[in-house]
Amino acid sequence: MDWPRTPVERVQLFRPAFCPWSGCPEHHRRDRGYRFRRHGFYGTLRRTVPRFLCLTCRRTFSRQTFSTSYYLKRPELLLPTAAALQAGGALRQIARTLTCAPSTPARLAARLGRHALLLHCRATAHLRGRLSEPVVLDHFETFEFSQDCPFGVATVVGARSWFVYGLDPAPHARSGRLTARQKHRLATRPRRELRGGYRASTRRTLKNLLPLVPEGKNLHLIGDGHPVYALAAAEQPRALLHSFPNPPRGPKGSPRSPAARARDQAMFPVDLLHALLRHSVAHHRRETIAFGRRLNALLERLFLAAVWRNFVKKRSERRPVPVSPAMQVGLARELWTWRRVLSRRLFRCRESLSTIQRTLYDRAWTTTLLPRNLRHDRVHAY
Ligand SMILES: [Zn+2]
């Protein structure tokens, strides 16, 4: 996958390759030959920014339109916010460290999440017809606002590369034993739209994965015996499910049965991802006050975590080999830095998003429990 190393702000002789205005026919250009003209410049405290005129739609734009820090008052905060979010920082802690308003990291987290979502879509588009390994599927359990509103996130990880191929939310009803007080509280909560729960989430996940499998080959799926995985796999003739049901385990510390060992070995890549998420994303720690309030915002942060896992982090920290999961699947030649991840802005109309990904990008997956749900519906904003 071609992805520049140098941030666009640092490129001396920047030449736009397409028009950034989404209504322009030149917005979707993939090949060379975009016609534009220089149109002066404007100065900032740090540097001068060149402006351009599109010779097709006659509208103007600047180099900054192609930057992830487009329209930001404090562009220097974007990179440290990404790193701090992934280092287990909660929003207010990040705001105190970076000396900015507490709302700033929240807004930047949303922007970073949208960028990560688009980057993830671009990466998976490059992997079409190139998936050459079995994938491990499991749902990561978390909740929005209250434990009364739990949801799972379908996580698909490559069995050999440990590349995260997909994330998909699956809201479901609260289960387990409840006290009378909890039952009463649950009854007073507004109804949530479950959008098909686990089954629809697994179905969507398989639908997104199948185009990655080469023609004439099957998708080998490893799961933990959840009944909906078998149901969803049965609907797809090219999906072969290998089930490793969770066996009963004795008290903590007791030796594992052979079935438990086989399950742990088969599910290791996805178990490791879940452990990493609980360890390095503040919102998914157990018993934290940084818990996520909105499903949409949590998914944004999970996409950021997936990009970090795939491109920035080494596949294994224990082995001193600087190889990332993206390098294993042939998307990158070296480990990426956060600077490189944020080196270019991506445009929603130029990437192929699934319906759910579009919903998440627009922040249209609202949390009914909360009175206000801001959507991302600005026409030109990033
Ligand atoms: Zn144009």
Side-chain angles (χ1 to χ4, degrees), residues 9-10 42-49 63-64:
E9 296 93 333
R10 299 252 163 206
Y42 68 90
T44 66
L45 284 175
R46 292 178 196 84
R47 51 181 77 93
T48 55
V49 181
R63 186 181 63 192
Q64 194 56 20

Coordinates of all heavy atoms in Angstrom, one line a residue, residues 9-10 42-49 63-64:
E9 N 2.3 18.8 5.4 CA 2.7 20.2 5.8 C 4.2 20.4 5.5 O 4.7 21.5 5.3 CB 2.5 20.4 7.3 CG 1.1 20.4 7.7 CD 0.6 19.1 8.2 OE1 1.2 18.1 7.7 OE2 -0.3 19.0 9.0
R10 N 5.0 19.3 5.4 CA 6.4 19.3 5.3 C 6.9 19.2 3.8 O 8.0 19.3 3.5 CB 7.1 18.2 6.1 CG 6.8 18.3 7.5 CD 8.1 18.7 8.3 NE 7.7 19.2 9.6 CZ 8.4 20.0 10.3 NH1 9.5 20.6 9.8 NH2 8.0 20.4 11.5
Y42 N -1.1 31.6 1.7 CA -1.3 32.4 2.9 C -0.3 32.0 3.9 O 0.3 30.9 3.9 CB -2.8 32.2 3.4 CG -3.1 30.8 4.0 CD1 -2.9 30.5 5.3 CD2 -3.6 29.8 3.1 CE1 -3.2 29.3 5.8 CE2 -4.0 28.6 3.6 CZ -3.8 28.3 5.0 OH -4.1 27.1 5.5
G43 N -0.1 33.0 4.9 CA 1.0 32.8 5.8 C 0.4 32.4 7.2 O -0.6 32.8 7.6
T44 N 1.1 31.5 7.9 CA 0.8 31.2 9.3 C 2.0 31.6 10.1 O 3.0 32.0 9.6 CB 0.4 29.7 9.5 OG1 1.7 29.0 9.3 CG2 -0.6 29.2 8.5
L45 N 1.9 31.3 11.4 CA 3.0 31.7 12.3 C 4.3 30.9 11.9 O 5.4 31.3 12.0 CB 2.7 31.4 13.8 CG 1.7 32.4 14.4 CD1 1.4 31.9 15.8 CD2 2.4 33.8 14.5
R46 N 4.0 29.6 11.4 CA 5.2 28.7 11.2 C 5.6 28.8 9.7 O 6.8 28.7 9.5 CB 4.8 27.3 11.5 CG 4.5 27.1 13.0 CD 4.1 25.6 13.3 NE 3.5 25.5 14.6 CZ 2.2 25.8 14.9 NH1 1.4 26.2 13.9 NH2 1.8 25.7 16.1
R47 N 4.7 28.8 8.8 CA 5.1 28.6 7.4 C 4.1 29.2 6.5 O 3.0 29.6 6.9 CB 5.3 27.1 7.1 CG 4.1 26.3 7.4 CD 4.3 24.8 7.1 NE 5.2 24.1 8.0 CZ 4.8 23.5 9.1 NH1 3.5 23.3 9.3 NH2 5.6 22.9 9.9
T48 N 4.4 29.3 5.2 CA 3.4 29.7 4.2 C 2.8 28.5 3.6 O 3.4 27.5 3.3 CB 4.1 30.6 3.1 OG1 5.1 29.8 2.5 CG2 4.6 31.9 3.6
V49 N 1.5 28.6 3.3 CA 0.7 27.5 2.8 C 0.3 27.8 1.4 O -0.5 28.8 1.2 CB -0.5 27.2 3.7 CG1 -1.3 26.0 3.2 CG2 0.0 27.0 5.2
R63 N -3.0 23.5 0.5 CA -2.3 22.3 0.9 C -2.8 21.7 2.2 O -2.9 20.5 2.4 CB -0.7 22.6 1.0 CG 0.1 21.4 1.2 CD 1.5 21.8 1.4 NE 1.7 22.6 2.6 CZ 2.8 23.3 2.9 NH1 3.9 23.2 2.1 NH2 2.9 24.0 4.0
Q64 N -3.2 22.6 3.0 CA -3.7 22.2 4.3 C -5.0 21.4 4.2 O -5.3 20.6 5.1 CB -4.0 23.5 5.2 CG -4.2 23.3 6.6 CD -3.1 22.6 7.3 OE1 -2.0 22.5 6.9 NE2 -3.4 22.0 8.5

